[in-house]
Amino acid sequence: MKADVVVIGGGVLGLATGYKILRKYPAARVVLLEKENKLAEHQTGRNSGVIHSGIYYKPGSFKAGMCRDGKAQLERYCQDQGVPFESCGKVIVAVGDSERGALDRIFERGQANGVACKKIGVERLKELEPHVTGVEAIEVTETGIVDYADVCESLARNMRLGGHEILLEHRVVRLRESDDRLVVETNRGEIETSYLVNCAGLYSDKVVEMAGLKPSAKIVPFRGEYFELVPEAQHLCKNLVYPVPDPSFPFLGVHFTRMIKGGVECGPNAVLAFAREGYGKMTLNVGELFETLGYVGFRKLADKFWRTGMGEMWRSANKGAFVKALQRLVPEIEGKHIHSAPAGVRAQAIGPDGAPIDDFAFTETDRAVHVVNAPSPAATASLAIAEMIVDKLGARFKESYGAQIVETIG
């Protein structure tokens, strides 16, 4: 089989990339490879479905710009394609006076990023979320919800209609490169291609290694464990309720999310997964775990955040501790009001210095674009990121760059 571009990964970013190639270069032949028997099986299909506003991100940063652009593109796409979504809004709540300063800084970022948001007092907070407690909050009117698996199905349908091919159960096992072609070896045969886009998520760094490169960061998997409100308790949360996040920790903290297809999700906590696809607490891949524990970047991260990590592990092991975390925002929550929901695993790139890579990051060669880090809000920003990837491919269509490798971190 031959292709102009092979895309690895059947999540929302890989599919968005295929769709954007179709729109800009309709004559190009694209083959998308997904190792599972269905699309959106991992990060894309296991998140809470939030369309992020961009309020948290440093003004002028790559992530902030991609989120704002991607959000607008995603909402237009959903509207045009008939994918259900809703701009329901959310509140970010300061539970006590000690959190007012951090809330002010988030608000300032939101204003600088052009986010439709406003500071509100207790009276307005109670109008929006009668069961939430706090001293002050930010109302973010433009945050939304969608099912990203539905987005993926729509993108896939458009790709197929445009003549692109999506191959399920095709696991990439090796890459070979010659002067003018790449050969992508899979468990079900080889594909020759001129260009490659790596959107492999939890295994993005492994694909970089297959290409003969040294990853600038290593993927460390963190399992996000969720609960869901039972039907009789769903009135306790009307839309989305978030705490003031710890700015030094790369997660937003336990929050409440109303889902587009019904129900209210609570979580996640964030604990080290014992496998890259370790969705169960007892799921173990010995080789992957030892690789994580032996990585100097992870050990430095653990040294810095071990207290926070112990708290996350305690909430993972103790439902009562998880309920207590939820009660900071909604005091009426009790253990009987929640039951376990499916977990997700976040592919967090960690540098050798122990610092989580906070922004979207790419490694480029003359024939490949590797997405080496795509943390939240990558799903929201997927169409904007894909557009940027296609622009990079367009430059390669027009000229040859030789073998120089370019590291890009926004």
Side-chain angles (χ1 to χ4, degrees), residues 40-279:
E41 179 69 2
H42 295 291
Q43 291 184 106
T44 296
R46 293 173 177 267
N47 64 37
S48 54
V50 176
I51 303 174
H52 289 282
S53 66
I55 192 171
Y56 297 107
Y57 314 125
K58 182 180 178 181
S61 68
F62 187 50
K63 184 188 282 191
M66 286 287 104
C67 183
R68 295 297 294 164
D69 183 13
K71 176 182 182 294
Q73 289 197 44
L74 177 63
E75 290 174 341
R76 283 197 302 270
Y77 179 87
C78 290
Q79 191 166 32
D80 291 344
Q81 299 293 323
V83 178
F85 78 101
E86 182 181 344
S87 294
C88 59
K90 77 173 180 181
V91 290
I92 304 170
V93 182
V95 174
D97 290 336
S98 63
E99 296 180 344
R100 289 182 188 268
L103 192 75
D104 288 341
R105 289 187 288 275
I106 293 171
F107 179 68
E108 289 167 3
R109 286 190 168 190
Q111 294 282 287
N113 287 333
V115 176
C117 59
K118 57 184 177 181
K119 293 280 288 294
I120 59 174
V122 175
E123 185 175 342
R124 174 61 177 164
L125 175 61
K126 289 296 183 183
E127 289 177 10
L128 295 170
E129 296 288 350
H131 301 278
V132 172
T133 186
V135 297
E136 194 175 22
I138 301 170
E139 180 184 355
V140 188
T141 57
E142 61 175 287
T143 299
I145 50 176
V146 73
D147 187 325
Y148 284 106
D150 287 349
V151 175
C152 286
E153 288 300 324
S154 176
L155 291 167
R157 182 168 58 252
N158 282 314
M159 284 183 63
R160 291 182 176 117
L161 287 172
H164 292 344
E165 193 155 6
I166 296 173
L167 301 179
L168 302 178
E169 298 183 297
H170 277 65
R171 180 189 298 271
V172 177
V173 296
R174 188 183 176 198
L175 299 175
R176 305 196 317 268
E177 184 170 358
S178 63
D179 290 340
D180 61 346
R181 303 292 285 172
L182 277 166
V183 176
V184 182
E185 295 185 23
T186 79
N187 59 318
R188 302 179 70 172
E190 296 183 351
I191 303 169
E192 288 187 7
T193 183
S194 297
Y195 301 98
L196 175 79
V197 180
N198 166 16
C199 298
L202 286 158
Y203 290 93
S204 61
D205 57 338
K206 295 299 182 184
V207 175
V208 172
E209 290 176 349
M210 287 183 196
L213 308 174
K214 183 177 180 180
S216 56
K218 186 174 287 293
I219 296 297
V220 175
F222 286 92
R223 186 172 63 255
E225 295 168 340
Y226 291 88
F227 284 86
E228 191 172 352
L229 293 184
V230 298
E232 55 268 29
Q234 290 175 9
H235 69 282
L236 296 174
C237 176
K238 294 175 68 176
N239 287 303
L240 313 182
V241 180
Y242 281 65
V244 175
D246 179 350
S248 66
F249 196 56
F251 304 99
L252 291 177
V254 173
H255 50 272
F256 295 80
T257 307
R258 180 168 67 82
M259 294 176 287
I260 191 72
K261 293 183 177 178
V264 177
E265 212 168 50
C266 315
N269 66 340
V271 297
L272 178 67
F274 297 158
R276 294 204 182 202
E277 295 172 0
Y279 300 111

